[in-house]
Amino acid sequence: MDLDKNFLGEMLLNKTLWWCLTQEGDGVQFKASPALQEMVGAEILDYATFLSYLMPESAHLLEYKSREFMARPEVDERFLVGFKVGEKITWLINKLHLANQGPGDCRVLYSTCVEVSEMYALEEQLIESHSRLMIEQLRAKEEMAKKEAQILQQQYDDQTQFLAMLSHELRSPLMGMNSLVSVVKKKQLANEDASDDLKTMRLTIEQLNFLINDILTFAQTEFGSIQLKPTVFELDQLGEYVSHLTKSIASEKGIFVSFAISSRNNCFYGDLVRVSQILVNLIVNAIKFTDIGGVFVEIRELDNELEIQVSDSGVGMDEKDLKNIFKPFKQLDSDSGPRYVGSGLGLAIVKTLVDLMGGRTYVESTKGVGSLFTVNLPMEVKSCPTTELARGDECDTCSELALSDNFQCDFDVLIADDSKINQKVLETFLEQLGCRVDQAHDGNQAWAKFQQKPYDFVFLDIQMPGMSGAEVCQKIRELPAEAKTGLQGVFALTAAHTVNEVEQMGIEIDQSMFDEWVEKPISQDKIIHLLHCKEHPAAEPEPKEMASTNELQETESLASQIPEHLQHLVPQLLENTHQEIAEVRKLLYEVDEAAIRKVLHRMKGNLMLFNVTELLEAVRDMERMASYQNREDVEARLVQLENQLRQLG
């Protein structure tokens, strides 16, 4: 059946959405489709009525788009307008068309429309939802920022409290030792026994050493620079070593520390330095809160791990204390007496190191009864060395042992260091232990001597004229095994304590070449553990003659700064330091900054041996200078350094 065209046209005109504007001369006629009028909900008789139903911004937009389209009809113009009749709003997308009708200048502008009210409402809902989401996100960020600010404030408060505590903990024993030095001098002059005072000073130094090492380890963990250095170590030696370190602290409080080791194997592969530090910190913490009874340490071998248990008969802890004990800067006060010197970092460091090793930490405690700390460390069993002595790392928490009377090392040792002071101190320590020592003043001489004579151990300074310590070590490693049959260890000597300091030295170093990386100042205790010297019964000391009053007065200005066993080297220290100051002045005028830094680094290493804090800090400040272009500033620092040197001699 054919559709009636008139009927079809009439239906389209009535049922579709459209409007048209006919312009002929100065007259304008407007018409809107019945469907459009029905949708809008009002009768639209003329153009003015049409515009009145449009929302204001839509009316302006329609007039603007209409004028633009009539000027450029080739543009595909579509835009959205809104009608508002009463509370009802109708949204239409308009597409404009332009046609000429009949003769003359009669032009017809018409628009076909699509109703999108529901889509517009949905879009508004999406925008509103998105806005709410953004507001919620902003509020969440604000809440998070507040929490972060609270955390930062708490950390600031904790660290402020920690620094205040640290200042007190460091200053108090140092002031006490300063007073004891005067007491000991007076007793020496009066020929009185000062052994108790010296024992107190040694204990104080050991406590300060624990404190300083805790601070250094915490700083390394905070900056992510701490690294594990696993080696093969012997379990029984670990027990003996830690027992020796904690013995004096326990005896001072009148309590005992007992060890029990239950293991099928004796040699394990792990970081001896950090395992020792974990064990020492647990024991020291137990001693701190124990006044009656003692501390019991048990080390057991389990499947692929070592279990360390430290129990005490101390004051114990309640549930509140247990939640905070592994947090840094937190200290629990002892109820029964003065606090043991500490940083509030010991247990936090234990937890950090155990986590770093992939281990687990547990604690059980009963108030008034005592505490039990359990640490499980993954540890691989290894075969014990048979041809060489096992060399474990020197523990960071070492305190200086009694001088060499109780130990014996029968070894041939080569020392290579361009600093005469370093050579002399190290030679003195080694000879007191019974070693035979040869010296080399640069890398070339060290390499030549090593090829001429077999040595058991070699100490190499990293920075030397000629070949560096690393280059000498590399040559030694490249030798065939038969050329170094007696060699048991090659150790690096350096005043650089961090990776950044090593990089600033301007040379690339593979630390794995060396058996140990030994930081200055080196102590006899470090040497004993590097060389594994064996303890033997101490001989009765020979009575010493009392020094004359004049001799005591001459050394009195040095006693509070220089260790007694190094005082005879002070003249050589002064001579070397003055020579190095003169060398810095010469290099200033040659504008050789790299050479200046090397001299300052060498000077720092010498001063570290003597623990002269003010001089050492002055040299460190110079070494940290970004440039040496300002000669007046450098010269002023050198003059200040010379003035400080005069106080030593």
Side-chain angles (χ1 to χ4, degrees), residues 574-590:
L574 294 172
E575 180 184 353
N576 281 17
T577 308
H578 282 299
Q579 289 175 355
E580 286 164 341
I581 290 174
E583 187 175 352
V584 171
R585 285 196 171 101
K586 175 176 174 290
L587 293 170
L588 271 177
Y589 287 92
E590 295 176 1

Side-chain angles (χ1 to χ4, degrees), residues 269 472 515:
Y269 185 71
V472 176
D515 293 283

